[in-house]
Structure formats: C-alpha cells, structure tokens
mmCIF file of all heavy atoms in Angstrom:
data_model
loop_
_atom_site.group_PDB
_atom_site.id
_atom_site.type_symbol
_atom_site.label_atom_id
_atom_site.label_comp_id
_atom_site.label_asym_id
_atom_site.label_seq_id
_atom_site.Cartn_x
_atom_site.Cartn_y
_atom_site.Cartn_z
ATOM 1 N N ASN A 235 171.089 56.104 42.492
ATOM 2 C CA ASN A 235 170.102 56.040 43.572
ATOM 3 C C ASN A 235 168.695 55.866 43.013
ATOM 4 O O ASN A 235 168.161 56.759 42.350
ATOM 5 C CB ASN A 235 170.148 57.327 44.397
ATOM 6 C CG ASN A 235 171.346 57.376 45.308
ATOM 7 O OD1 ASN A 235 171.352 56.764 46.369
ATOM 8 N ND2 ASN A 235 172.379 58.103 44.889
ATOM 9 N N LEU A 236 168.095 54.722 43.273
ATOM 10 C CA LEU A 236 166.719 54.471 42.878
ATOM 11 C C LEU A 236 165.802 54.863 44.028
ATOM 12 O O LEU A 236 165.978 54.407 45.152
ATOM 13 C CB LEU A 236 166.532 53.000 42.523
ATOM 14 C CG LEU A 236 165.152 52.576 41.988
ATOM 15 C CD1 LEU A 236 165.305 51.433 40.986
ATOM 16 C CD2 LEU A 236 164.205 52.138 43.108
ATOM 17 N N GLY A 237 164.838 55.729 43.744
ATOM 18 C CA GLY A 237 163.916 56.187 44.780
ATOM 19 C C GLY A 237 162.475 56.063 44.317
ATOM 20 O O GLY A 237 162.189 55.658 43.190
ATOM 21 N N LEU A 238 161.576 56.417 45.190
ATOM 22 C CA LEU A 238 160.152 56.362 44.878
ATOM 23 C C LEU A 238 159.412 57.341 45.767
ATOM 24 O O LEU A 238 159.576 57.327 46.985
ATOM 25 C CB LEU A 238 159.617 54.942 45.096
ATOM 26 C CG LEU A 238 158.107 54.731 44.919
ATOM 27 C CD1 LEU A 238 157.670 55.062 43.500
ATOM 28 C CD2 LEU A 238 157.728 53.294 45.266
ATOM 29 N N ILE A 239 158.640 58.222 45.152
ATOM 30 C CA ILE A 239 157.724 59.106 45.881
ATOM 31 C C ILE A 239 156.311 58.667 45.520
ATOM 32 O O ILE A 239 155.969 58.556 44.335
ATOM 33 C CB ILE A 239 157.950 60.582 45.512
ATOM 34 C CG1 ILE A 239 159.356 61.030 45.940
ATOM 35 C CG2 ILE A 239 156.890 61.466 46.166
ATOM 36 C CD1 ILE A 239 159.708 62.447 45.520
ATOM 37 N N GLU A 240 155.506 58.408 46.518
ATOM 38 C CA GLU A 240 154.161 57.893 46.268
ATOM 39 C C GLU A 240 153.330 58.914 45.495
ATOM 40 O O GLU A 240 153.343 60.111 45.810
ATOM 41 C CB GLU A 240 153.463 57.560 47.587
ATOM 42 C CG GLU A 240 152.103 56.926 47.389
ATOM 43 C CD GLU A 240 151.471 56.465 48.697
ATOM 44 O OE1 GLU A 240 152.096 56.659 49.766
ATOM 45 O OE2 GLU A 240 150.356 55.917 48.646
ATOM 46 N N PRO A 241 152.619 58.460 44.467
ATOM 47 C CA PRO A 241 151.754 59.374 43.714
ATOM 48 C C PRO A 241 150.677 59.990 44.608
ATOM 49 O O PRO A 241 150.251 59.385 45.596
ATOM 50 C CB PRO A 241 151.126 58.466 42.649
ATOM 51 C CG PRO A 241 152.061 57.301 42.538
ATOM 52 C CD PRO A 241 152.618 57.100 43.913
ATOM 53 N N ASN A 242 150.257 61.194 44.252
ATOM 54 C CA ASN A 242 149.119 61.810 44.956
ATOM 55 C C ASN A 242 147.899 61.949 44.051
ATOM 56 O O ASN A 242 146.869 62.471 44.467
ATOM 57 C CB ASN A 242 149.507 63.166 45.566
ATOM 58 C CG ASN A 242 150.138 64.114 44.563
ATOM 59 O OD1 ASN A 242 150.035 63.915 43.347
ATOM 60 N ND2 ASN A 242 150.803 65.161 45.056
ATOM 61 N N VAL A 243 148.018 61.463 42.813
ATOM 62 C CA VAL A 243 146.889 61.433 41.875
ATOM 63 C C VAL A 243 146.918 60.088 41.149
ATOM 64 O O VAL A 243 147.954 59.714 40.577
ATOM 65 C CB VAL A 243 146.960 62.570 40.835
ATOM 66 C CG1 VAL A 243 145.782 62.471 39.862
ATOM 67 C CG2 VAL A 243 146.976 63.928 41.517
ATOM 68 N N TYR A 244 145.802 59.373 41.160
ATOM 69 C CA TYR A 244 145.722 58.087 40.467
ATOM 70 C C TYR A 244 144.689 58.146 39.351
ATOM 71 O O TYR A 244 143.624 58.762 39.506
ATOM 72 C CB TYR A 244 145.356 56.959 41.440
ATOM 73 C CG TYR A 244 146.505 56.548 42.330
ATOM 74 C CD1 TYR A 244 146.620 57.070 43.620
ATOM 75 C CD2 TYR A 244 147.479 55.656 41.885
ATOM 76 C CE1 TYR A 244 147.674 56.706 44.442
ATOM 77 C CE2 TYR A 244 148.538 55.287 42.702
ATOM 78 C CZ TYR A 244 148.632 55.810 43.974
ATOM 79 O OH TYR A 244 149.680 55.452 44.778
ATOM 80 N N ILE A 245 145.007 57.504 38.253
ATOM 81 C CA ILE A 245 144.084 57.401 37.118
ATOM 82 C C ILE A 245 143.373 56.068 37.246
ATOM 83 O O ILE A 245 143.980 54.999 37.085
ATOM 84 C CB ILE A 245 144.849 57.498 35.780
ATOM 85 C CG1 ILE A 245 145.663 58.799 35.735
ATOM 86 C CG2 ILE A 245 143.882 57.410 34.610
ATOM 87 C CD1 ILE A 245 144.865 60.069 35.939
ATOM 88 N N ASN A 246 142.078 56.115 37.527
ATOM 89 C CA ASN A 246 141.316 54.903 37.834
ATOM 90 C C ASN A 246 140.411 54.443 36.701
ATOM 91 O O ASN A 246 140.084 53.263 36.611
ATOM 92 C CB ASN A 246 140.471 55.131 39.098
ATOM 93 C CG ASN A 246 141.329 55.349 40.332
ATOM 94 O OD1 ASN A 246 142.065 54.469 40.749
ATOM 95 N ND2 ASN A 246 141.235 56.543 40.911
ATOM 96 N N GLN A 247 140.007 55.364 35.843
ATOM 97 C CA GLN A 247 139.070 55.015 34.780
ATOM 98 C C GLN A 247 139.815 54.551 33.529
ATOM 99 O O GLN A 247 140.991 54.876 33.349
ATOM 100 C CB GLN A 247 138.193 56.225 34.444
ATOM 101 C CG GLN A 247 137.384 56.751 35.616
ATOM 102 C CD GLN A 247 136.509 55.697 36.254
ATOM 103 O OE1 GLN A 247 135.829 54.933 35.559
ATOM 104 N NE2 GLN A 247 136.530 55.618 37.574
ATOM 105 N N PRO A 248 139.144 53.805 32.647
ATOM 106 C CA PRO A 248 139.802 53.391 31.397
ATOM 107 C C PRO A 248 140.330 54.578 30.602
ATOM 108 O O PRO A 248 141.416 54.511 30.020
ATOM 109 C CB PRO A 248 138.695 52.646 30.650
ATOM 110 C CG PRO A 248 137.774 52.149 31.721
ATOM 111 C CD PRO A 248 137.802 53.201 32.781
ATOM 112 N N PHE A 249 139.570 55.666 30.587
ATOM 113 C CA PHE A 249 139.996 56.920 29.947
ATOM 114 C C PHE A 249 139.661 58.053 30.909
ATOM 115 O O PHE A 249 138.550 58.113 31.436
ATOM 116 C CB PHE A 249 139.282 57.138 28.608
ATOM 117 C CG PHE A 249 139.546 56.052 27.606
ATOM 118 C CD1 PHE A 249 138.664 54.984 27.471
ATOM 119 C CD2 PHE A 249 140.676 56.080 26.806
ATOM 120 C CE1 PHE A 249 138.908 53.978 26.559
ATOM 121 C CE2 PHE A 249 140.932 55.078 25.878
ATOM 122 C CZ PHE A 249 140.046 54.018 25.756
ATOM 123 N N GLU A 250 140.620 58.933 31.142
ATOM 124 C CA GLU A 250 140.396 59.982 32.132
ATOM 125 C C GLU A 250 141.113 61.255 31.689
ATOM 126 O O GLU A 250 142.316 61.228 31.401
ATOM 127 C CB GLU A 250 140.929 59.514 33.493
ATOM 128 C CG GLU A 250 140.433 60.324 34.672
ATOM 129 C CD GLU A 250 140.692 59.629 35.999
ATOM 130 O OE1 GLU A 250 140.559 58.388 36.076
ATOM 131 O OE2 GLU A 250 141.035 60.348 36.958
ATOM 132 N N LYS A 251 140.376 62.368 31.641
ATOM 133 C CA LYS A 251 140.942 63.648 31.218
ATOM 134 C C LYS A 251 141.397 64.462 32.425
ATOM 135 O O LYS A 251 140.816 64.380 33.506
ATOM 136 C CB LYS A 251 139.914 64.443 30.405
ATOM 137 C CG LYS A 251 139.581 63.814 29.063
ATOM 138 C CD LYS A 251 138.598 64.666 28.271
ATOM 139 C CE LYS A 251 138.305 64.035 26.915
ATOM 140 N NZ LYS A 251 137.336 64.836 26.122
ATOM 141 N N MET A 252 142.432 65.262 32.194
ATOM 142 C CA MET A 252 142.962 66.099 33.268
ATOM 143 C C MET A 252 143.649 67.307 32.655
ATOM 144 O O MET A 252 144.316 67.194 31.616
ATOM 145 C CB MET A 252 143.960 65.301 34.120
ATOM 146 C CG MET A 252 144.487 66.054 35.328
ATOM 147 S SD MET A 252 145.688 65.065 36.271
ATOM 148 C CE MET A 252 144.664 63.675 36.741
ATOM 149 N N MET A 253 143.500 68.462 33.300
ATOM 150 C CA MET A 253 144.203 69.674 32.906
ATOM 151 C C MET A 253 145.234 69.989 33.986
ATOM 152 O O MET A 253 144.904 70.072 35.166
ATOM 153 C CB MET A 253 143.229 70.840 32.759
ATOM 154 C CG MET A 253 143.881 72.147 32.313
ATOM 155 S SD MET A 253 144.308 72.170 30.554
ATOM 156 C CE MET A 253 142.677 72.450 29.823
ATOM 157 N N VAL A 254 146.491 70.139 33.591
ATOM 158 C CA VAL A 254 147.560 70.478 34.524
ATOM 159 C C VAL A 254 148.276 71.716 34.007
ATOM 160 O O VAL A 254 148.944 71.674 32.967
ATOM 161 C CB VAL A 254 148.560 69.320 34.698
ATOM 162 C CG1 VAL A 254 149.728 69.747 35.590
ATOM 163 C CG2 VAL A 254 147.872 68.099 35.298
ATOM 164 N N ASP A 255 148.103 72.824 34.689
ATOM 165 C CA ASP A 255 148.806 74.072 34.381
ATOM 166 C C ASP A 255 148.723 74.419 32.887
ATOM 167 O O ASP A 255 149.717 74.735 32.241
ATOM 168 C CB ASP A 255 150.268 73.958 34.823
ATOM 169 C CG ASP A 255 150.957 75.322 34.911
ATOM 170 O OD1 ASP A 255 150.266 76.325 35.155
ATOM 171 O OD2 ASP A 255 152.192 75.371 34.722
ATOM 172 N N GLY A 256 147.510 74.335 32.355
ATOM 173 C CA GLY A 256 147.274 74.732 30.972
ATOM 174 C C GLY A 256 147.469 73.646 29.944
ATOM 175 O O GLY A 256 147.234 73.875 28.746
ATOM 176 N N VAL A 257 147.880 72.444 30.358
ATOM 177 C CA VAL A 257 148.085 71.335 29.418
ATOM 178 C C VAL A 257 146.986 70.303 29.627
ATOM 179 O O VAL A 257 146.807 69.777 30.736
ATOM 180 C CB VAL A 257 149.464 70.683 29.604
ATOM 181 C CG1 VAL A 257 149.592 69.431 28.739
ATOM 182 C CG2 VAL A 257 150.567 71.674 29.260
ATOM 183 N N GLU A 258 146.255 70.011 28.546
ATOM 184 C CA GLU A 258 145.186 69.023 28.607
ATOM 185 C C GLU A 258 145.754 67.649 28.266
ATOM 186 O O GLU A 258 146.489 67.483 27.297
ATOM 187 C CB GLU A 258 144.069 69.385 27.630
ATOM 188 C CG GLU A 258 142.874 68.444 27.698
ATOM 189 C CD GLU A 258 141.783 68.792 26.703
ATOM 190 O OE1 GLU A 258 141.921 69.839 26.023
ATOM 191 O OE2 GLU A 258 140.813 68.021 26.587
ATOM 192 N N MET A 259 145.381 66.660 29.079
ATOM 193 C CA MET A 259 145.830 65.292 28.847
ATOM 194 C C MET A 259 144.654 64.338 28.994
ATOM 195 O O MET A 259 143.761 64.559 29.814
ATOM 196 C CB MET A 259 146.919 64.897 29.853
ATOM 197 C CG MET A 259 148.197 65.719 29.760
ATOM 198 S SD MET A 259 149.407 65.306 31.044
ATOM 199 C CE MET A 259 148.693 66.138 32.467
ATOM 200 N N GLU A 260 144.636 63.293 28.172
ATOM 201 C CA GLU A 260 143.710 62.182 28.387
ATOM 202 C C GLU A 260 144.535 60.925 28.584
ATOM 203 O O GLU A 260 145.338 60.544 27.726
ATOM 204 C CB GLU A 260 142.742 61.987 27.222
ATOM 205 C CG GLU A 260 141.800 60.807 27.482
ATOM 206 C CD GLU A 260 140.669 60.679 26.477
ATOM 207 O OE1 GLU A 260 139.686 61.436 26.615
ATOM 208 O OE2 GLU A 260 140.780 59.832 25.565
ATOM 209 N N PHE A 261 144.337 60.288 29.738
ATOM 210 C CA PHE A 261 145.075 59.079 30.075
ATOM 211 C C PHE A 261 144.272 57.850 29.663
ATOM 212 O O PHE A 261 143.057 57.787 29.867
ATOM 213 C CB PHE A 261 145.366 59.030 31.575
ATOM 214 C CG PHE A 261 146.206 60.180 32.063
ATOM 215 C CD1 PHE A 261 145.631 61.231 32.762
ATOM 216 C CD2 PHE A 261 147.568 60.219 31.817
ATOM 217 C CE1 PHE A 261 146.398 62.292 33.217
ATOM 218 C CE2 PHE A 261 148.352 61.279 32.263
ATOM 219 C CZ PHE A 261 147.766 62.316 32.961
ATOM 220 N N GLN A 262 144.967 56.873 29.096
ATOM 221 C CA GLN A 262 144.365 55.595 28.718
ATOM 222 C C GLN A 262 144.996 54.512 29.576
ATOM 223 O O GLN A 262 146.165 54.165 29.415
ATOM 224 C CB GLN A 262 144.608 55.272 27.243
ATOM 225 C CG GLN A 262 144.080 53.895 26.827
ATOM 226 C CD GLN A 262 144.678 53.391 25.508
ATOM 227 O OE1 GLN A 262 145.588 54.009 24.956
ATOM 228 N NE2 GLN A 262 144.172 52.270 25.014
ATOM 229 N N ASN A 263 144.233 53.958 30.512
ATOM 230 C CA ASN A 263 144.747 52.865 31.323
ATOM 231 C C ASN A 263 144.885 51.604 30.475
ATOM 232 O O ASN A 263 143.951 51.225 29.756
ATOM 233 C CB ASN A 263 143.821 52.594 32.512
ATOM 234 C CG ASN A 263 144.363 53.163 33.807
ATOM 235 O OD1 ASN A 263 145.555 53.062 34.087
ATOM 236 N ND2 ASN A 263 143.486 53.765 34.607
ATOM 237 N N THR A 264 146.056 50.951 30.558
ATOM 238 C CA THR A 264 146.308 49.727 29.780
ATOM 239 C C THR A 264 146.877 48.645 30.693
ATOM 240 O O THR A 264 147.984 48.150 30.471
ATOM 241 C CB THR A 264 147.287 50.002 28.621
ATOM 242 O OG1 THR A 264 148.556 50.426 29.164
ATOM 243 C CG2 THR A 264 146.753 51.062 27.682
ATOM 244 N N PRO A 265 146.139 48.250 31.726
ATOM 245 C CA PRO A 265 146.685 47.250 32.655
ATOM 246 C C PRO A 265 146.927 45.915 31.950
ATOM 247 O O PRO A 265 146.216 45.546 31.015
ATOM 248 C CB PRO A 265 145.587 47.132 33.711
ATOM 249 C CG PRO A 265 144.330 47.534 33.009
ATOM 250 C CD PRO A 265 144.753 48.619 32.055
ATOM 251 N N GLY A 266 147.966 45.224 32.399
ATOM 252 C CA GLY A 266 148.223 43.894 31.856
ATOM 253 C C GLY A 266 148.908 43.876 30.512
ATOM 254 O O GLY A 266 148.909 42.854 29.831
ATOM 255 N N THR A 267 149.476 45.002 30.097
ATOM 256 C CA THR A 267 150.218 45.012 28.830
ATOM 257 C C THR A 267 151.699 44.829 29.163
ATOM 258 O O THR A 267 152.112 43.786 29.636
ATOM 259 C CB THR A 267 149.956 46.316 28.057
ATOM 260 O OG1 THR A 267 150.142 47.441 28.940
ATOM 261 C CG2 THR A 267 148.534 46.354 27.525
ATOM 262 N N GLU A 268 152.509 45.862 28.935
ATOM 263 C CA GLU A 268 153.941 45.750 29.237
ATOM 264 C C GLU A 268 154.190 45.723 30.740
ATOM 265 O O GLU A 268 155.214 45.218 31.183
ATOM 266 C CB GLU A 268 154.683 46.912 28.557
ATOM 267 C CG GLU A 268 156.186 46.793 28.580
ATOM 268 C CD GLU A 268 156.798 47.402 29.823
ATOM 269 O OE1 GLU A 268 156.169 48.303 30.423
ATOM 270 O OE2 GLU A 268 157.911 46.973 30.193
ATOM 271 N N ALA A 269 153.277 46.264 31.519
ATOM 272 C CA ALA A 269 153.362 46.210 32.983
ATOM 273 C C ALA A 269 151.961 45.982 33.533
ATOM 274 O O ALA A 269 150.965 46.287 32.874
ATOM 275 C CB ALA A 269 153.957 47.509 33.535
ATOM 276 N N PRO A 270 151.865 45.468 34.753
ATOM 277 C CA PRO A 270 150.533 45.258 35.334
ATOM 278 C C PRO A 270 149.756 46.555 35.519
ATOM 279 O O PRO A 270 148.525 46.553 35.469
ATOM 280 C CB PRO A 270 150.848 44.602 36.683
ATOM 281 C CG PRO A 270 152.221 44.053 36.550
ATOM 282 C CD PRO A 270 152.937 44.962 35.617
ATOM 283 N N ALA A 271 150.478 47.665 35.762
ATOM 284 C CA ALA A 271 149.850 48.985 35.851
ATOM 285 C C ALA A 271 150.571 49.902 34.869
ATOM 286 O O ALA A 271 151.755 50.200 35.050
ATOM 287 C CB ALA A 271 149.953 49.529 37.268
ATOM 288 N N GLU A 272 149.870 50.341 33.835
ATOM 289 C CA GLU A 272 150.501 51.165 32.794
ATOM 290 C C GLU A 272 149.429 52.023 32.129
ATOM 291 O O GLU A 272 148.258 51.652 32.071
ATOM 292 C CB GLU A 272 151.200 50.285 31.762
ATOM 293 C CG GLU A 272 152.026 51.062 30.743
ATOM 294 C CD GLU A 272 153.212 50.279 30.209
ATOM 295 O OE1 GLU A 272 153.431 49.136 30.636
ATOM 296 O OE2 GLU A 272 153.947 50.837 29.370
ATOM 297 N N MET A 273 149.859 53.185 31.606
ATOM 298 C CA MET A 273 148.897 54.041 30.921
ATOM 299 C C MET A 273 149.578 54.857 29.823
ATOM 300 O O MET A 273 150.728 55.274 29.950
ATOM 301 C CB MET A 273 148.183 54.969 31.904
ATOM 302 C CG MET A 273 149.070 55.986 32.588
ATOM 303 S SD MET A 273 148.154 56.936 33.839
ATOM 304 C CE MET A 273 149.402 58.123 34.336
ATOM 305 N N ASN A 274 148.851 55.019 28.732
ATOM 306 C CA ASN A 274 149.235 55.934 27.658
ATOM 307 C C ASN A 274 148.640 57.306 27.939
ATOM 308 O O ASN A 274 147.753 57.454 28.786
ATOM 309 C CB ASN A 274 148.709 55.429 26.311
ATOM 310 C CG ASN A 274 149.235 54.049 25.950
ATOM 311 O OD1 ASN A 274 150.364 53.703 26.266
ATOM 312 N ND2 ASN A 274 148.408 53.263 25.269
ATOM 313 N N THR A 275 149.100 58.325 27.188
ATOM 314 C CA THR A 275 148.583 59.683 27.362
ATOM 315 C C THR A 275 148.449 60.358 26.003
ATOM 316 O O THR A 275 149.364 60.262 25.172
ATOM 317 C CB THR A 275 149.525 60.538 28.239
ATOM 318 O OG1 THR A 275 149.806 59.844 29.453
ATOM 319 C CG2 THR A 275 148.898 61.890 28.564
ATOM 320 N N TYR A 276 147.327 61.039 25.808
ATOM 321 C CA TYR A 276 147.133 61.817 24.581
ATOM 322 C C TYR A 276 147.038 63.298 24.933
ATOM 323 O O TYR A 276 146.415 63.683 25.925
ATOM 324 C CB TYR A 276 145.868 61.391 23.842
ATOM 325 C CG TYR A 276 145.717 62.076 22.502
ATOM 326 C CD1 TYR A 276 146.664 61.908 21.498
ATOM 327 C CD2 TYR A 276 144.630 62.919 22.242
ATOM 328 C CE1 TYR A 276 146.553 62.545 20.274
ATOM 329 C CE2 TYR A 276 144.502 63.549 21.010
ATOM 330 C CZ TYR A 276 145.474 63.363 20.039
ATOM 331 O OH TYR A 276 145.366 64.004 18.820
ATOM 332 N N PHE A 277 147.720 64.123 24.124
ATOM 333 C CA PHE A 277 147.714 65.578 24.288
ATOM 334 C C PHE A 277 146.940 66.192 23.118
ATOM 335 O O PHE A 277 147.506 66.424 22.050
ATOM 336 C CB PHE A 277 149.146 66.123 24.293
ATOM 337 C CG PHE A 277 150.017 65.575 25.384
ATOM 338 C CD1 PHE A 277 150.722 64.392 25.201
ATOM 339 C CD2 PHE A 277 150.131 66.239 26.599
ATOM 340 C CE1 PHE A 277 151.537 63.890 26.199
ATOM 341 C CE2 PHE A 277 150.944 65.742 27.606
ATOM 342 C CZ PHE A 277 151.640 64.554 27.412
ATOM 343 N N PRO A 278 145.626 66.432 23.283
ATOM 344 C CA PRO A 278 144.823 66.917 22.155
ATOM 345 C C PRO A 278 145.272 68.285 21.639
ATOM 346 O O PRO A 278 145.154 68.558 20.438
ATOM 347 C CB PRO A 278 143.399 66.961 22.723
ATOM 348 C CG PRO A 278 143.552 66.956 24.207
ATOM 349 C CD PRO A 278 144.805 66.203 24.486
ATOM 350 N N GLN A 279 145.797 69.146 22.513
ATOM 351 C CA GLN A 279 146.253 70.470 22.055
ATOM 352 C C GLN A 279 147.424 70.359 21.084
ATOM 353 O O GLN A 279 147.592 71.187 20.188
ATOM 354 C CB GLN A 279 146.692 71.320 23.262
ATOM 355 C CG GLN A 279 145.589 71.668 24.245
ATOM 356 C CD GLN A 279 146.166 71.937 25.628
ATOM 357 O OE1 GLN A 279 146.810 71.068 26.208
ATOM 358 N NE2 GLN A 279 145.937 73.126 26.163
ATOM 359 N N PHE A 280 148.243 69.328 21.264
ATOM 360 C CA PHE A 280 149.455 69.175 20.456
ATOM 361 C C PHE A 280 149.344 68.046 19.432
ATOM 362 O O PHE A 280 150.274 67.827 18.657
ATOM 363 C CB PHE A 280 150.659 68.895 21.366
ATOM 364 C CG PHE A 280 150.746 69.775 22.575
ATOM 365 C CD1 PHE A 280 151.072 69.243 23.820
ATOM 366 C CD2 PHE A 280 150.501 71.146 22.489
ATOM 367 C CE1 PHE A 280 151.155 70.046 24.949
ATOM 368 C CE2 PHE A 280 150.586 71.958 23.618
ATOM 369 C CZ PHE A 280 150.901 71.402 24.857
#
C-alpha cells in the first residue's frame, strides 16, 4: 500500500535549522538534483 500524508512543515530556505524533541538538524535544500524537490540533513550533535 503506497500512501501519502501531506507535510505540515516545509523547508523553504537553502539552509534551515530546526530542533525536534532535543535533536538539532540543519536541512540543505538541493532542488533539481536526484529529484525536483530534495534535501540533505546534517546532525551537528552527532
């Protein structure tokens, strides 16, 4: 079963930081690479 739940948080900036339940993440938007909408993520704590 392939499904889809619409996101409730979008990463719009080229680089965007976010803290989720104690985990820090920095998202790197990479549109036009392997997919038209794609992003990498860095975990500075780890």
Side-chain angles (χ1 to χ4, degrees):
N235 285 281
L236 184 148
L238 175 61
I239 296 176
E240 184 174 1
N242 53 16
V243 179
Y244 285 97
I245 304 304
N246 295 296
Q247 301 304 315
F249 300 95
E250 196 166 322
K251 293 182 179 179
M252 184 181 299
M253 181 76 77
V254 175
D255 196 28
V257 173
E258 184 181 355
M259 297 176 283
E260 179 171 281
F261 299 104
Q262 176 198 7
N263 258 318
T264 62
T267 49
E268 190 272 335
E272 187 151 359
M273 65 185 185
N274 301 326
T275 308
Y276 186 61
F277 300 87
Q279 295 155 301
F280 315 137

